[in-house]
Amino acid sequence: MPLKRIKRSIHKLLCGLNVKSYVDDDDINNASIEPDKNELEVTLRSLSSKLEDLNTCNDLIVKHGAALQKTLSDIEPLNNGSAGSGTGGGSTDLATHVKTVNERATLFRITTNAMINACADYLDISQNQGKRWQRMLQYEHEQRLRLEEMVEQIAKQHSSLERQAKKSMLKVSLSTPTVPQNHNDSDEEFYDAVSEHTEEFQVALPHTRPKSVHRRNDSGVSQVSIDSLGANLGQAESESSESESDEQDVARVISARNGSAKSSKSLTKVKGDGSGSQDSLNTSLVPKPSRRSRRTKIPEKPSYSINLWSIMKNCIGRDLTKIPMPVNFSEPLSMLQRLTEELEYASILDRAAKCEDACEQLAYVAAFTLSAYATTTIRTGKPFNPMLGETYECDRTEDLGWRSFSEQVSHHPPTAATYAEGKDWTLWQEFTMSSKFRGKYLQIIPKGIAHLEFKKSGNHYTWRKVTTTVHNIIVGRLWVDNHGEMDITNHKTGDKCHLKYSQYSYFSRETPRKVTGIVSDLTGEARWVLTGTWDERLECAKILRTKSTSKGTPLFESGPHKLLWKFIKPPPENEKIFWFSHLAMQLNEPEEGVAPTDSRLRPDQRVMEEQDWDGANKEKVRLEEKQRAARKKREMEMDRAQTEGKPVIGYEPVWFKKQRNPVTGNPIHIYTGEYWQAKQNQEWSKCPDVF
């Protein structure tokens, strides 16, 4: 190729490369700092074009450098031959090759200059745009801080408004005198005279038609929920608009009280049914003497400050189970251990097993389901999400009369299977849930079904848990509310218990955390009424007579109240130990001989209990990465099996097997019954490497 033609080509290349930045410093200083998506795209395209030019120059330098080196290599033998022979022909060849070297050296120099210019242009654009992007990032940062301040201010105003509304309602209720109201003759209700030692209250009835409230029943999915859970203002409006329908879903109860008039928190001794008095109830919960000494305290919770909003602001609207959370929000227990903690009042089931009346037994079962929420009013710490294949055993047969075993059988969605057995009963459930963070509150909706069967009578009960809402996530003190409706069904006799957990409202005069319910037989006739609170106590009374008002509202007359369950006071200063109860403190106590997948051996949870929260966060990250790597490996093996036409087998639990339940017809993980024998033989070869 002639040298002039080559120079013209190189000149065109230089003209294409020598493009100045389309934005200089003055433009940057005068431009708006608001982000422009189109402008960013133009800048990225320009930088990409410059990068392609740099690659082109690099290829030319390599090409021309190699040609120059080859020409120089060809000159060396000609130079040596010309010096030895002294002929003119050698000089002519040498002059030709020198000319070629000059041309190739010129091309190499031009290409190198083009590379230098292209690098300068790329650097110039990067520096100029870097200044602009820095200003844009600063603008975004300021906007984010401003948004955070606005949200925090709104939350504070909301909290202040709620407090003022509560105070105003209290003042109105205290200052308003009781004035007899005039009623039309057609609206007056007349009832039989009752003793002065009576109590009147209302209980919830099963709905006769669909309503826009969140219900939990024992089979199928029939939840229709109000999305504004925890919004007390909206709740007040809905209460006023649905007052007419609510009247048809409640019944009035006139209950006899023994002795002098007492408050609703008084207790009447009951004889002849084996339930006894308050003293006997508390005595039945005291552990029997055991050869093993259980711990009575754990290391106190350290005081670490953390910016809650900096973590939760990116979680609004997302599923909580898919959000990585530091241990600062947790308590040193896994979800498997938290489910086991529901057996703290399992002595209720021991008393229920002695009942001859199936409806009375159902009342005790209702008390047991309610006792699971006893500590949630103050326990706001998040339990650790179990790793796939993680297990937990709790053998308290010697002192409490029961033992349980749990396994995390699925990771997405997170699902735990549990199995517990006492002397006269067996309890199993599959627990899974959905959770959404709504900014000011966190909503948790359980989805699993719990099963309970008594060995002597064969009565088989099922139920679903109610909704739990954690309030004041951003500002204020955290508090928990359990609300919704629960149906407990005896699949052998057809008896049912309908419980209503009243949602807390600043505008309601009802007792906070109130729970009411009805136990009815197969024909739908009400047999027992239930009343109490889910954080303190639950009482029942047998219905003696049923009447009906002119409006069609049932009126029940019941006998004396009987205590079914009463909350046990926690250890002193338990706010320093995550608000744990006596049983909760013992759940994570180290124990020899457990499976290598047991929650007690989980390193991040153990390190957190030992007050090393920084080490716990590091261990938590390590375990989560290990779990992701194991899941990716399983997915690759499944893809390979599918490609090769082999059966695709996903993850299978070790100690539970998924089967269709003959009672509900729903698939559920059933305990295989092999764990305790494996523990006795210390045979853990089937356990996966979890920790």
Side-chain angles (χ1 to χ4, degrees), residues 221-255:
V221 179
S222 60
Q223 305 99 356
V224 183
S225 60
I226 299 177
D227 187 61
S228 59
L229 293 173
N232 292 310
L233 295 174
Q235 180 187 1
E237 296 178 359
S238 63
E239 287 176 354
S240 61
S241 63
E242 296 181 357
S243 58
E244 182 178 355
S245 60
D246 288 343
E247 291 180 359
Q248 300 182 6
D249 294 329
V250 297
R252 295 182 57 188
V253 179
I254 299 177
S255 176

Side-chain angles (χ1 to χ4, degrees), residues 33 35 133-149 313:
I33 60 176
W133 289 346
Q134 186 175 4
R135 291 164 58 86
M136 293 169 60
L137 290 175
Q138 181 65 24
Y139 173 80
E140 289 291 341
H141 179 66
E142 293 175 356
Q143 290 292 99
R144 179 64 63 88
L145 293 178
R146 192 176 296 110
L147 178 61
E148 292 179 8
E149 293 176 357
K313 64 186 178 182

Side-chain angles (χ1 to χ4, degrees), residues 295-459:
R295 68 180 182 181
T296 57
K297 63 180 181 179
I298 62 174
E300 293 185 0
K301 177 181 179 181
S303 178
Y304 284 114
S305 61
I306 187 171
N307 188 354
L308 177 63
W309 173 244
S310 65
I311 297 175
M312 301 302 291
K313 64 186 178 182
N314 296 322
C315 304
I316 299 177
R318 296 178 58 187
D319 190 342
L320 187 66
T321 59
K322 298 181 179 180
I323 300 172
M325 301 288 288
V327 301
N328 305 61
F329 300 104
S330 301
E331 59 182 18
L333 291 177
S334 75
M335 192 64 195
L336 301 180
Q337 292 167 314
R338 194 70 182 265
L339 291 174
T340 304
E341 192 180 349
E342 296 179 358
L343 295 170
E344 183 168 9
Y345 296 93
S347 59
I348 301 176
L349 300 180
D350 297 332
R351 297 196 301 274
K354 301 176 182 179
C355 294
E356 300 294 337
D357 183 1
C359 290
E360 182 182 8
Q361 185 182 78
L362 181 51
Y364 277 100
V365 173
F368 172 75
T369 65
L370 178 138
S371 68
Y373 301 100
T375 61
T376 58
T377 181
I378 52 178
R379 290 273 293 280
T380 56
K382 176 183 177 295
F384 280 75
N385 291 332
M387 314 296 289
L388 184 62
E390 183 176 337
T391 61
Y392 179 72
E393 66 156 84
C394 187
D395 190 354
R396 303 299 295 266
T397 306
E398 187 178 9
D399 54 348
L400 298 180
W402 54 265
R403 66 180 183 180
S404 71
F405 177 74
S406 307
E407 180 182 5
Q408 187 76 1
V409 296
S410 174
H411 186 63
H412 287 301
T415 305
T418 66
Y419 179 84
E421 54 186 348
K423 179 181 178 182
D424 302 312
W425 51 268
T426 55
L427 172 69
W428 67 98
Q429 66 172 317
E430 185 176 275
F431 180 82
T432 183
M433 67 179 185
S434 63
S435 58
K436 291 293 183 181
F437 176 57
R438 302 295 186 184
K440 194 176 185 297
Y441 63 92
L442 172 68
Q443 175 184 331
I444 302 172
I445 304 177
K447 294 183 178 180
I449 301 178
H451 295 255
L452 171 65
E453 186 173 9
F454 290 96
K455 299 177 182 179
K456 181 179 178 181
S457 63
N459 290 333

Side-chain angles (χ1 to χ4, degrees), residues 569-635:
K569 292 183 179 179
E573 297 185 340
N574 70 332
E575 69 277 2
K576 298 180 181 179
I577 52 173
F578 305 92
W579 302 96
F580 278 3
S581 63
H582 292 282
L583 178 62
M585 286 191 297
Q586 301 165 1
L587 292 177
N588 202 43
E589 186 175 6
E591 185 173 332
E592 297 181 357
V594 298
T597 55
D598 196 273
S599 298
R600 298 176 180 88
L601 305 177
R602 180 166 176 165
D604 54 349
Q605 184 175 302
R606 178 62 59 192
V607 172
M608 179 195 177
E609 185 183 280
E610 296 172 353
Q611 301 180 323
D612 184 7
W613 285 19
D614 292 336
N617 280 316
K618 293 179 182 178
E619 282 293 328
K620 186 173 184 290
V621 172
R622 182 186 67 83
L623 290 176
E624 291 173 349
E625 291 178 350
K626 182 176 181 179
Q627 182 171 242
R628 282 191 288 267
R631 182 174 68 251
K632 185 176 181 180
K633 181 180 179 181
R634 285 194 304 270
E635 292 174 351

